[in-house]
Amino acid sequence: MRYQSFLIKYAEIGIKGKNRNFFEESLVQQMKIALHRCEGKFRVYRFSGRVFVAVDSAHYDFDEVVGALQHVFGIVGICPMQIQDVIPYEELQEKVVQFFGEEYPEQTRKGLTFKVHCRRLAKNYPMDSQEINAALGEALLGAYPETAVDVHEPKVMVHVEIRERIYLYTHTIPGAGGLPVGSGGKAMLLLSGGIDSPVAGWMMARRGLKLDAVYFNAPPYTSERALQKVVDLAATVSAYTGPIYLHNINFTEIQLYIYEKCPHDELTIIMRRYMMRIAEAIARKTECGALITGESLGQVASQTMRSLECTNAVCTLPVFRPLIGNDKEEIIGISKKIGTYDTSILPYEDCCTIFVAKHPVTKPILDVIARHEHNLDEKIDEMVERALETDEVIIVDRDGRKN
Ligand code: ATP
Ligand code: MG
């Protein structure tokens, strides 16, 4: 087994002062959940202000473990470590030279620059860290003359930590960054079958939020396959967030009624206002502290500044729109990276695309919209109540629907 342990690097959570303990504990919990699915036995623990994963079994799948850790928000880097017993310097030197050669095989070594960084926490070790740095640097250059030392900007940092045992590592595999899921509370994602909303949910989860989701369904205008697409998107996102409670709301009656009673160029805005109202009602019931949407400024008529004013006006919870300043190409890039893109572009119809006007307003006026909503009279309130009663909670994890 080449690596017996992993050092976990985290950036932001290290600077949270008194909250540091809470953030580290959240991170450890999320890592345990992620590793639980991996073959092998692992121990996640905190030690002297850092987080480690120790491998406690004879076998494990390196790629599987790294893949699982790369789905944990809060981790900036994953350093696979080799552990030695505390050995005299001559033996240590041999081990380090061998380890370096394995980490950087011959074809990758030409022109490679490195620096040795020793930390000696076991103060009884007979050489100090400066001496070890110098001696190991020389030994590595002797063994691999095609490499060079660069103390300012080395490509490779050879870490040697001497504690109760000796830890060696040279690689840092990038993590997903952000803050541990749940450390910032929970929010309600308005999840459609499009490209944007799953990305928006992923981005806010990366900032430490646990996610619930709501989907507005319009049967028979939308099919069972459209719902399945949303479940599949939630499943992909849940590989990062843990299980998602997806609220499936029947929106048909409301949509038909708006279509009947309101000017067609204002349909989308008014529908979106009802979606926000219902999403907020569910969010309040489920203790979500915010709503999340995939809106991006100017992308469509309902996402201009004035349109957003109209949809925002019906909410009292904060509405997070992490994609507000992103171009579509950037959003597509993230969706490919997180694995939602291929599902998002499947062609099944969405409730918004069925009842759209040819020329929707791009500069709606809030008062006018509110006045036209009056046409809907008290019947709409009953419909909202009925829609809330249709709420079907689908529990989704990375393997799909659970209930
Ligand atoms: P997306 O790719 O997320 O579907 P979009 O560009 O199609 O976005 P709109 O249809 O205007 O944009 O919707 C804007 C936002 O409203 C979506 O990002 C999503 O958060 C929410 N939304 C739209 N339709 C639905 C729906 N049927 N169910 C739940 N949320 C929805
Ligand atoms: Mg959409």
Side-chain angles (χ1 to χ4, degrees):
M1 194 174 5
R2 185 138 135 212
Y3 310 106
Q4 297 85 16
S5 177
F6 297 85
L7 166 66
I8 302 303
K9 292 194 169 155
Y10 50 91
E12 277 182 76
I13 53 178
I15 53 168
K16 296 282 174 187
K18 283 186 192 151
N19 290 329
R20 178 173 175 152
N21 198 39
F22 168 75
F23 281 100
E24 280 185 1
E25 206 36 58
S26 304
L27 180 66
V28 165
Q29 283 314 321
Q30 294 303 321
M31 288 170 59
K32 284 181 179 168
I33 294 169
L35 290 168
H36 196 71
R37 297 179 58 92
C38 299
E39 212 183 309
K41 272 193 82 184
F42 307 94
R43 204 160 19 92
V44 184
Y45 63 99
R46 295 157 64 186
F47 179 75
S48 98
R50 299 196 293 172
V51 174
F52 296 88
V53 178
V55 180
D56 279 349
S57 47
H59 299 286
Y60 73 98
D61 180 334
F62 177 81
D63 292 335
E64 184 186 39
V65 167
V66 169
L69 294 172
Q70 283 181 315
H71 280 74
V72 177
F73 293 133
I75 294 179
V76 174
I78 303 157
C79 310
M81 298 198 295
Q82 189 169 92
I83 306 179
Q84 308 288 339
D85 286 327
V86 175
I87 36 180
Y89 176 77
E90 290 67 33
E91 280 176 55
L92 174 64
Q93 176 174 310
E94 215 173 289
K95 294 282 184 195
V96 171
V97 167
Q98 190 192 342
F99 184 61
F100 187 96
E102 286 166 2
E103 294 285 273
Y104 298 94
E106 194 171 354
Q107 66 275 18
T108 65
R109 283 201 298 261
K110 197 164 171 18
L112 193 70
T113 57
F114 73 88
K115 175 183 174 178
V116 180
H117 179 73
C118 175
R119 284 178 75 196
R120 187 188 59 147
L121 291 110
K123 294 297 175 207
N124 57 353
Y125 200 77
M127 281 163 78
D128 74 18
S129 46
Q130 287 310 327
E131 290 167 333
I132 294 172
N133 285 343
L136 283 179
E138 206 169 302
L140 285 168
L141 276 180
Y144 309 113
E146 64 278 28
T147 64
V149 169
D150 181 342
V151 290
H152 300 295
E153 276 184 69
K155 285 219 181 68
V156 174
M157 193 69 118
V158 181
H159 293 269
V160 179
E161 288 199 12
I162 305 176
R163 301 201 300 250
E164 76 304 343
R165 302 181 78 192
I166 297 180
Y167 298 77
L168 308 179
Y169 68 95
T170 66
H171 269 115
T172 303
I173 302 164
L179 300 169
V181 164
S183 62
K186 188 171 71 161
M188 180 65 70
L189 168 66
L190 282 84
L191 181 61
S192 68
I195 293 170
D196 306 326
S197 48
V199 171
W202 181 87
M203 286 184 71
M204 294 318 298
R206 201 169 93 113
R207 293 307 302 164
L209 297 184
K210 177 121 190 77
L211 300 180
D212 278 355
V214 55
Y215 170 57
F216 297 95
N217 202 351
Y221 302 96
T222 59
S223 64
E224 200 48 42
R225 288 199 306 184
L227 170 64
Q228 186 56 45
K229 181 180 170 186
V230 173
V231 169
D232 292 345
L233 289 172
T236 305
V237 174
S238 79
Y240 293 88
T241 62
I244 293 176
Y245 284 58
L246 172 65
H247 297 260
N248 178 25
I249 298 284
N250 186 322
F251 201 57
T252 312
E253 190 183 29
I254 294 176
Q255 223 162 2
L256 289 172
Y257 193 53
I258 296 173
Y259 195 74
E260 183 191 325
K261 296 282 187 184
C262 297
H264 284 191
D265 60 348
E266 293 173 3
L267 280 181
T268 311
I269 296 287
I270 296 177
M271 279 175 203
R272 307 254 326 109
R273 278 161 64 91
Y274 278 94
M275 283 186 186
M276 299 298 267
R277 287 181 173 109
I278 293 172
E280 175 155 305
I282 306 170
R284 294 266 180 213
K285 255 200 319 225
T286 53
E287 298 182 346
C288 289
L291 303 179
I292 303 169
T293 76
E295 289 158 317
S296 165
L297 192 63
Q299 197 188 80
V300 288
S302 59
Q303 298 177 23
T304 63
M305 193 154 62
R306 288 268 281 279
S307 297
L308 292 173
E309 181 192 1
C310 294
T311 40
N312 218 48
V314 300
C315 301
T316 53
L317 284 175
V319 181
F320 295 149
R321 300 179 174 89
L323 307 179
I324 197 71
N326 286 104
D327 290 350
K328 195 74 184 187
E329 281 311 309
E330 294 165 339
I331 301 169
I332 288 174
I334 303 174
S335 79
K336 286 183 176 163
K337 192 178 83 181
I338 66 176
T340 51
Y341 183 74
D342 291 340
T343 308
S344 287
I345 58 171
L346 294 174
Y348 314 125
E349 65 296 325
D350 178 61
C351 68
C352 299
T353 50
I354 290 159
F355 299 91
V356 321
K358 277 214 182 66
H359 300 289
V361 280
T362 53
K363 288 184 182 169
I365 296 165
L366 182 55
D367 291 346
V368 176
I369 296 287
R371 196 161 354 112
H372 290 159
E373 264 182 12
H374 273 296
N375 296 348
L376 298 167
D377 58 50
E378 59 282 356
K379 269 203 202 143
I380 193 77
D381 301 327
E382 291 160 24
M383 289 178 187
V384 167
E385 283 311 309
R386 272 201 294 276
L388 283 166
E389 278 161 23
T390 67
D391 187 357
E392 176 203 9
V393 182
I394 302 171
I395 303 173
V396 185
D397 76 5
R398 60 202 294 155
D399 300 320
R401 189 178 178 138
K402 288 281 112 181
N403 59 338

